[in-house]
Amino acid sequence: MMTDQFKIVIVGSGPGGMSAAARAAELGLSHLLLEAAPHLASTIHHFQKGKTVMAEPAVLPLRSAISFGPGSREAILDTWRDELAEYSVNLRLNAAVAAIAGHAGDFQITLLTGECIRAEFVVLAIGIQGNIRKLAVPGEDLPGVQYQLDDPDEFNNETIVVVGGGDAGVENALALSRQNRVILVNRQDEFSNCKEANYEQLMTAVSRGKIEIRVNTLTERVEAYSGGTFKLSYMAQTPEGHEQIDCHRVIARLGAKPPRQLVESFGVHFPNSDSGAVPQLSEQYESNVPGLYIVGALAGYPLIKQAMNQGYEVIEYIQGNPVEPADELLLRMKFACVPDIHSVTEGIALLRANQPLLAPLTTLQLREFMLESTVQVPKRGELIFNRNDYSNSFFSILEGRIAIQTEAPDGEAAVFSLGKGEFFGEMGLLSGRRRSGSATASEDCILVETSRRSMLKLLYSASGVQRKLDEVSLKRVVRSCLDTMLPESELEYLVHDAQSRRYAVGDELFHEGDQADGLYMIRRGSVTVSRQVAGKEIVLAYISAGNYVGEMALVSNMPRSATVRAASPTEVIMLEALRVTEVLSRNTSMRRKVDSRFLEHVRSDEYSLSSESSGLINFLMEEGVGEATDVLLIDYARCIRCNNCETACADVHDGTSRLDREAGATYAQIHVPTSCRHCEHPHCMKDCPPDAIHRSVNGEVFISDNCIGCGNCQDNCPYGVIQMAVKQDYQKRTIWQIILGTQPAKATQVTSGELLKKAVKCDMCKDILGGPVCVRACPTGAALRVSPEAFLGYVK
């Protein structure tokens, strides 16, 4: 059989492969584009019918011989076919590659048919969609469970569960929602892994009741439905508990894994054993095999425009032509403030050398990471953030040192010094609570700040980074809670078999009378501690993230003395009991602290709460204040029903009161009016298309002026504290009206049909000196604002 020979053979006719082939044809180079499928761009060919394909990232220019812009799947494929024909691209379909051997200048590409093709250079652009991830739970292969959606119009009047918070899952849900009931399940808290345009469309659909969403939800299993019109029962663990959704089908869009075994057979090395790892490449996309280049999704760049740019650039690199990557100018601006960094290559090298956390990422992935981050160069003594701030970005230290001042649960202050190669800010990122310490530059520094959304996206896609972050943050939590002076060797031993566990509201961490299985470090959320007294369960305490429970049984060597339940969606790290007791026996400082906490609890009168007091705590938990950071309470034993609280609120908020005193539940004399609780993880904030809801550094959750009035926040708030209102012509009360208790002329609503209602809610009077006016306006002191941590003291 005659062997064909080419300068460049491109394997895979996706966007990157087509772009490379078109550029080779444009330059008159001997080339061949091989495609295993009977059609071009197999991944895009299998997009759902009529899907709108976006030209992302929008900030990047397109660099390719073939065109690309937003449009339907069908139109884009037609355009590409025409343009490849126009350039006379040498294309072979149904040509699957079985093996690649050789070296630069003499590669042998063997097809499944046995045919051998020779090339000087090889460009792999095969993508990853042939290795679909499955649900990995019982029932994943039942009839009706599918991992692809070709034509959403095939399904009508069905209940369909779509699993996956990325672009594919969101797009499938949107397309199916036109004629079906759709429930979209995302294991993350937020839809941080999809394009902004898809996110906005999803939020609009949710606000209109077209799609139901479940976030922070894990698939447990899928079962065949025993009767009726449904075929399946989808079982999930949600933050509110376990849920069964009876449905006609489950469509899981969970991404894909690189075809690692095939690629390794070509001689290409991967940097680690992670199933999602991508090959380590040079900045010119060359693998460890000289002359073999990799572009597109297999290189860690799944977006079409990125792949097309790389396809163009790789041909230029093969030709020896100097060409800057399309993102070069943007990245150069990022590093402009860093002394002695004169190029993007130097900046990326500094990031790689000085931040081990990011070691699992390839150079190309690091470039993408930097596109979504900013570089800071604080001087010595400069404050980065304060303890109790509500900021949540993540910081990597490339140069210099940072001093972190924290305060342990027992009030003891400690200062940690972090230097080059370390990171900080992960607790705010993971727990959603206030900063646990203050960060100050103790030397001139170079820091990389990454937003929460971008960091969550990275953690979702790079399991190696997630594991390293978990390992370090766990050690910090243990040290902070147990003993800041614990030796590193003991810390390593203590966390070796640590388990991460998640609990929905009401789930038991452990039960009174159980044998001690370990020490529970609360990483996120909050719990209540209760005990059976005279046949009735009495709540003893409320404990939030950053603390631990379960030490009583370990110290006393007795069964559990209380039951601990999740008061809000909670994540804990359980340290194995034997390891904890062994470390306690070897470290007197840690033992003294744990013993002291144990004795404090034994002597505390919190274990002798009355039934009424316990009932009050139960009531507050049932009202959802376990996930609050600040809640307004009214003591009806003191309240004279003057409504000064509501009137004062309206006075400072253009006539619309942000609280409703009469609404809400009451237990004994304690009333919880309808007013924002400024939740630890605000429900309202997650589904806001214009990103108009923010949290200030002091914790207040507020709505900015760019609210578009979609009503998502009002629908998503489980406590009914958000209202839609039109701005009014409001006349504030004069001092005499306040003294005499009279009202100004009735507020008149602006009647222009042009005005849109916008969302309003309590912002804790964040811009008003003196704080919440509802509390200050109460003449009897009946109104007060309390954090969950202070509930127990208040009840007493």
Side-chain angles (χ1 to χ4, degrees), residues 263-407:
V263 176
E264 285 182 324
S265 74
F266 302 158
V268 175
H269 294 165
F270 285 72
N272 54 58
S273 60
D274 288 348
S275 61
V278 296
Q280 183 71 53
L281 306 175
S282 73
E283 289 189 60
Q284 288 74 41
Y285 317 122
E286 190 172 18
S287 72
N288 62 285
V289 179
L292 194 156
Y293 297 79
I294 300 177
V295 298
L298 184 58
Y301 272 51
L303 298 180
I304 293 174
K305 189 189 289 186
Q306 292 171 325
M308 293 178 71
N309 285 343
Q310 290 174 359
Y312 175 97
E313 292 162 6
V314 74
I315 301 301
E316 295 296 318
Y317 292 140
I318 288 173
Q319 286 293 93
N321 297 332
V323 57
E324 286 189 340
D327 59 9
E328 189 76 7
L329 178 60
L330 296 171
L331 291 176
R332 194 180 297 135
M333 294 169 62
K334 299 276 186 179
F335 290 108
C337 62
V338 182
D340 301 322
I341 294 294
H342 306 292
S343 69
V344 175
T345 299
E346 291 179 4
I348 296 296
L350 177 69
L351 184 65
R352 179 178 294 285
N354 291 5
Q355 185 44 268
L357 174 69
L358 304 176
L361 303 183
T362 67
T363 300
L364 301 179
Q365 288 174 314
L366 287 174
R367 293 178 75 98
E368 186 173 13
F369 173 79
M370 283 306 306
L371 282 174
E372 299 183 348
S373 303
T374 58
V375 180
Q376 295 185 11
V377 286
K379 298 297 183 183
R380 180 178 181 178
E382 189 173 330
L383 181 70
I384 312 301
F385 57 71
N386 261 318
R387 181 172 180 267
N388 290 327
D389 280 356
Y390 257 116
S391 55
N392 54 19
S393 52
F394 179 86
F395 295 86
S396 304
I397 307 174
L398 303 189
E399 293 286 357
R401 299 197 70 79
I402 295 291
I404 308 290
Q405 184 170 352
T406 65
E407 186 175 300

Side-chain angles (χ1 to χ4, degrees), residues 96-140:
V97 172
I100 298 176
H103 51 79
D106 186 22
F107 283 103
Q108 301 92 48
I109 300 100
T110 304
L111 305 185
L112 285 180
T113 60
E115 180 181 354
C116 183
I117 299 168
R118 305 185 83 90
E120 296 179 38
F121 301 95
V122 174
V123 177
L124 277 184
I126 59 177
I128 62 175
Q129 290 305 313
N131 297 267
I132 298 294
R133 285 190 174 94
K134 292 191 173 184
L135 286 168
V137 299
E140 65 174 2

